[in-house]
Amino acid sequence: DRDEKAKAAFEWKPGEFPLWTYENGKPKGRDDRLVNFQNKWESVIREWSERWGNKVCGWWFDGCYYPDAMYRHDDAPNFASFAAAARAGNPDSAVAFNPGVLDPVITLTPEEDYTAGEIGDPDKLVCPGPKVGAAQYQMLSYIGKWWCGAPPRFTPEQVAEMTQKITGKGGAVTWDVPPEASGRISEEFLPHLRAVGAALGTAR
């Protein structure tokens, strides 16, 4: 939202999402679907997928906060067209759409292979099982004070326990840890990842 050239090229309009009004169950007023922006963004995703092929095997789309207004339509752009763009270069790619921080974790569309699963308080989360609908249950959270932030807010033992509570029911877990300028994982987070590996029997 800070790159003025990109905003102009993509025809991005400032969001007024909380102020949307509806008529017969559909948003009215300006182009609330941001069709031109969405189509251009979708074309970029397709180009990336075709360029990198099977070097990319998963996509996690952020910001799908208004799925009814922006994505649940018979005509493109919609969930199906975005998923097709992501899989253009690798039909086996896994796709997820993030509706924001929601507990319990949900799935937005049958086009998803796994849940985006963004969670702020993973210690309070209860995994219902391996699936939400047809999607693989997956939780994403951060070990630090915030996304890519230090220091850790949990002990290695706590992170391992939270991970096991989910994987033990067939779910999957992704942990965010902050990288250093060199690209290496910060040393203070390595004990947490090693504890997870030891708990799951995947440590090297």
Side-chain angles (χ1 to χ4, degrees), residues 78-142:
N78 54 23
F79 280 123
S81 64
F82 267 93
R87 297 185 180 113
N90 180 4
D92 295 324
S93 285
V95 174
F97 297 95
N98 183 34
V101 179
L102 293 177
D103 183 1
V105 169
I106 68 168
T107 180
L108 288 177
T109 169
E111 296 293 336
E112 286 188 303
D113 298 290
Y114 65 104
T115 61
E118 182 182 356
I119 290 294
D121 298 309
D123 52 325
K124 300 175 183 177
L125 187 67
V126 176
C127 175
K131 298 281 187 177
V132 177
Q136 166 68 50
Y137 184 98
Q138 189 264 168
M139 184 277 291
L140 166 67
S141 195
Y142 45 94

Side-chain angles (χ1 to χ4, degrees), residues 106-195:
I106 68 168
T107 180
L108 288 177
T109 169
E111 296 293 336
E112 286 188 303
D113 298 290
Y114 65 104
T115 61
E118 182 182 356
I119 290 294
D121 298 309
D123 52 325
K124 300 175 183 177
L125 187 67
V126 176
C127 175
K131 298 281 187 177
V132 177
Q136 166 68 50
Y137 184 98
Q138 189 264 168
M139 184 277 291
L140 166 67
S141 195
Y142 45 94
I143 297 176
K145 292 293 184 181
W146 190 239
W147 297 106
C148 290
R153 58 178 171 150
F154 301 116
T155 66
E157 293 75 20
Q158 288 173 321
V159 173
E161 181 181 3
M162 287 184 283
T163 302
Q164 284 183 301
K165 283 183 177 179
I166 295 173
T167 59
K169 291 186 176 181
V173 176
T174 302
W175 288 110
D176 167 272
V177 293
E180 297 177 342
S182 65
R184 299 176 65 87
I185 294 173
S186 176
E187 286 288 336
E188 61 184 328
F189 286 83
L190 291 179
H192 300 74
L193 301 181
R194 292 189 180 111

Side-chain angles (χ1 to χ4, degrees), residues 4-78:
E4 294 301 327
K5 290 184 178 179
K7 285 163 61 176
F10 277 82
E11 297 183 60
W12 167 255
K13 300 174 184 178
E16 299 174 4
F17 306 124
L19 302 180
W20 272 345
T21 56
Y22 290 80
E23 187 173 271
N24 298 322
K26 296 183 179 181
K28 66 177 183 179
R30 69 175 179 80
D31 177 16
D32 288 314
R33 290 179 65 187
L34 303 178
V35 170
N36 290 344
F37 165 77
Q38 295 277 60
N39 283 333
K40 289 183 176 183
W41 181 222
E42 190 177 287
S43 70
V44 170
I45 292 165
R46 179 177 294 276
E47 194 280 327
W48 284 343
S49 181
E50 291 176 342
R51 187 197 319 176
W52 293 318
N54 60 12
K55 292 180 180 179
V56 178
C57 57
W59 297 80
W60 190 91
F61 290 102
D62 202 4
C64 302
Y65 306 135
Y66 305 93
D68 289 340
M70 297 188 72
Y71 302 102
R72 290 196 177 111
H73 300 275
D74 293 334
D75 57 318
N78 54 23

